[in-house]
């Protein structure tokens, strides 16, 4: 039975993607506050490159140098980064480069344990995960008997396999890396039991839901915080275009023609039936001021206007996905927070609410 934990009501900005959504549809904020829905769900005006003007685009960073002929995926480096943490360096043929992956170890590894994969947002860094630096994962999982796997990199890449190499963002083949290359390496290196779940924030929320749906049975549970789960409705597509173009990427290099078959194939809302049997948790806030916005908060106006706007969009996206799951009678736990913006402080606070769903899926 679907559960609503609270009744729905109408660290800093979530990167340039928040600015993009603010510029695209800042009227959403006032719309959400009024309890209304968007005036139109038309996607006619959403064209490639239209979401983020060049002057507002963030730095995509240095494109990693690609290497061919890498053979099979291999762990080529390992270092201890904390009392229960290691970082692997993996040579990935899919990504044609070496990728960092952070691992949190179980409190007790005397027996095989399940694995939780955590995906980052649009600003995903090459050297660390937001879950480690801002999401409180090391502290939260210190007493949990689960392996936590956090990939590094993939900035504005949507955790999907792109059709073409992008001039600004480079090569993205994250679906292949996360679902095919990485799990066998993790299972061989650590004492895992084969049970997996996946979760993410913002871009990572959409990525986690997409991967869970496109690989039925691989993940026993999935959690999404402040995500958009459609690729073909207005706000879902606006979110994707904003994410990709926020670092100068061309969405045409991702799934081809806008609205084409591959866009539909990656739409979690349209393909929600593939999630049947998966433990699901969703969370979003209305974008209004919360406990993490005070007069002492740095960039308070930016947090409220930009972070508020993008969270308002995520809130509507979550409502749409919630309604879709209800129409299919697919159980999910959905938590609509009474306030809060699009920032790590809230995701860190909300994660314990998702843990009962994820721990049930993981069997712990």
């Amino acid at each position: 039975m679907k559960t609503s934990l609270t009744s729905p009501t109408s660290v800093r900005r979530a990167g340039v993607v928040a600015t993009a959504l603010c510029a695209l549809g800042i009227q959403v904020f006032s719309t959400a506050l009024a309890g209304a829905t968007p005036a139109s769900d038309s996607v006619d005006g959403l064209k490639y490159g239209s979401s983020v003007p060049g002057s507002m685009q963030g730095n995509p960073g240095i494109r990693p140098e690609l290497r061919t002929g890498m053979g099979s995926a291999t762990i080529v480096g390992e270092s201890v980064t904390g009392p229960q943490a290691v970082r692997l360096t993996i040579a990935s043929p899919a990504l044609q480069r070496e990728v960092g992956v952070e691992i949190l170890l179980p409190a007790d590894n005397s027996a095989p344990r399940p694995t939780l994969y955590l995906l980052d947002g649009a600003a995903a860094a090459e050297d660390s995960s937001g879950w480690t630096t801002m999401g409180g994962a090391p502290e939260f999982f210190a007493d949990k008997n689960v392996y936590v796997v956090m990939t590094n990199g993939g900035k504005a890449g949507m955790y999907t396999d792109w059709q073409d190499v992008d001039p600004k963002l480079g090569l993205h083949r994250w679906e292949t890396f996360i679902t095919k290359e990485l799990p066998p390496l993790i299972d061989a290196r650590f004492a895992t039991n084969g049970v997996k779940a996946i979760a993410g924030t913002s871009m990572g929320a959409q990525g986690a839901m997409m991967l869970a749906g496109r690989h039925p049975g691989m993940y026993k549970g999935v959690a999404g915080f402040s995500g958009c789960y459609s690729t073909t409705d207005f706000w879902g597509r606006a979110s994707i275009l904003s994410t990709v173009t926020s670092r100068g990427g061309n969405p045409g290099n991702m799934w081809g023609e806008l609205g084409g078959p591959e866009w539909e194939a990656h739409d979690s809302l349209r393909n929600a039936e593939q999630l049947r049997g998966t433990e699901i948790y969703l969370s979003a806030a209305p974008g209004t001021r919360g406990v993490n916005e005070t007069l002492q908060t740095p960039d308070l106006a930016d947090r409220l206007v930009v972070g508020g706007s993008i969270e308002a969009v995520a809130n509507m996206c979550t409502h749409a996905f919630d309604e879709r799951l209800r129409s299919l009678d697919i159980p999910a736990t959905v938590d609509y927070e009474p306030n809060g913006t699009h920032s790590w402080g809230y995701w860190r606070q909300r994660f314990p609410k998702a843990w009962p769903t994820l721990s049930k899926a993981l069997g712990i």
Side-chain angles (χ1 to χ4, degrees):
M1 180 177 182
K2 187 181 296 291
T3 305
S4 181
L5 301 184
T6 59
S7 299
T9 67
S10 253
V11 155
R12 51 194 194 185
R13 71 161 68 180
V16 180
V17 67
T19 306
L21 276 176
C22 182
L24 179 70
I26 196 170
Q27 71 273 16
V28 176
F29 188 51
S30 57
T31 300
L33 290 178
T37 56
S40 172
D41 62 357
S42 171
V43 298
D44 292 344
L46 297 180
K47 306 299 183 183
Y48 290 145
S50 65
S51 294
V52 185
S55 61
M56 296 177 64
Q57 292 174 7
N59 185 356
I62 299 174
R63 282 180 50 185
E65 184 178 350
L66 301 183
R67 295 162 47 190
T68 58
M70 297 184 72
S72 59
T74 308
I75 298 174
V76 296
E78 180 174 337
S79 60
V80 176
T81 56
Q84 289 176 230
V86 299
R87 188 172 191 268
L88 305 179
T89 301
I90 297 176
S92 166
L95 295 168
Q96 296 182 26
R97 64 185 180 91
E98 293 183 353
V99 183
V101 177
E102 295 170 84
I103 314 292
L104 299 179
L105 305 176
D108 177 5
N109 61 4
S110 62
R113 303 300 184 188
T115 308
L116 173 64
Y117 289 77
L118 294 179
L119 303 184
D120 218 329
E126 290 288 335
D127 58 352
S128 64
S129 168
W131 285 100
T132 298
T133 58
M134 295 176 283
E139 295 81 8
F140 181 82
F141 288 104
D143 62 347
K144 309 293 191 299
N145 286 322
V146 59
Y147 289 95
V148 181
V149 178
M150 298 165 286
T151 59
N152 296 163
K155 186 175 294 184
M158 300 303 302
Y159 294 107
T160 188
D161 286 0
W162 287 44
Q163 294 182 356
D164 298 297
V165 177
D166 189 83
K168 290 289 185 69
L169 300 179
L171 175 66
H172 287 304
R173 295 284 189 274
W174 289 96
E175 180 173 356
T176 295
F177 177 71
I178 292 171
T179 63
K180 295 182 179 179
E181 292 184 341
L182 185 56
L185 296 177
I186 298 298
D187 293 342
R189 170 62 184 83
F190 302 102
T192 65
N193 64 8
V195 179
K196 300 174 179 64
I198 191 168
T201 62
S202 193
M203 181 186 83
Q206 180 160 358
M209 204 66 62
M210 178 189 67
L211 294 177
R214 286 173 58 81
H215 301 271
M218 173 173 282
Y219 305 103
K220 301 299 183 183
V222 58
F225 301 86
S226 304
C228 280
Y229 305 100
S230 174
T231 62
T232 57
D233 69 16
F234 182 87
W235 293 115
R237 188 168 299 175
S239 174
I240 293 173
L241 294 182
S242 298
T243 299
V244 173
T245 62
S246 71
R247 267 77 181 183
N250 180 356
N253 291 323
M254 185 169 62
W255 296 324
E257 179 186 0
L258 184 64
E262 285 303 307
W263 286 77
E264 293 188 2
H266 290 81
D267 191 316
S268 295
L269 192 145
R270 284 175 177 252
N271 302 299
E273 181 61 40
Q274 299 301 311
L275 291 165
R276 189 175 298 278
T278 306
E279 298 289 341
I280 302 171
Y281 177 88
L282 301 171
S283 175
T288 54
R289 177 179 174 178
V291 296
N292 294 324
E293 287 81 38
T294 69
L295 293 178
Q296 288 71 45
T297 300
D299 302 320
L300 177 59
D302 182 68
R303 176 84 72 90
L304 291 173
V305 176
V306 179
S309 296
I310 192 173
E311 189 66 19
V313 172
N315 189 282
M316 289 193 291
C317 290
T318 300
H319 273 280
F321 192 52
D322 182 8
E323 291 172 6
R324 172 64 169 164
L325 293 173
R326 288 178 183 272
S327 73
L328 296 174
D329 197 26
I330 296 177
T333 298
V334 186
D335 181 3
Y336 295 106
E337 296 289 341
N339 50 55
T341 61
H342 201 77
S343 55
W344 273 105
Y346 292 105
W347 299 326
R348 180 172 181 155
Q349 293 165 1
R350 293 181 211 163
F351 190 83
K353 296 182 180 181
W355 183 239
T357 299
L358 292 172
S359 62
K360 177 182 177 181
L362 293 167
I364 55 178

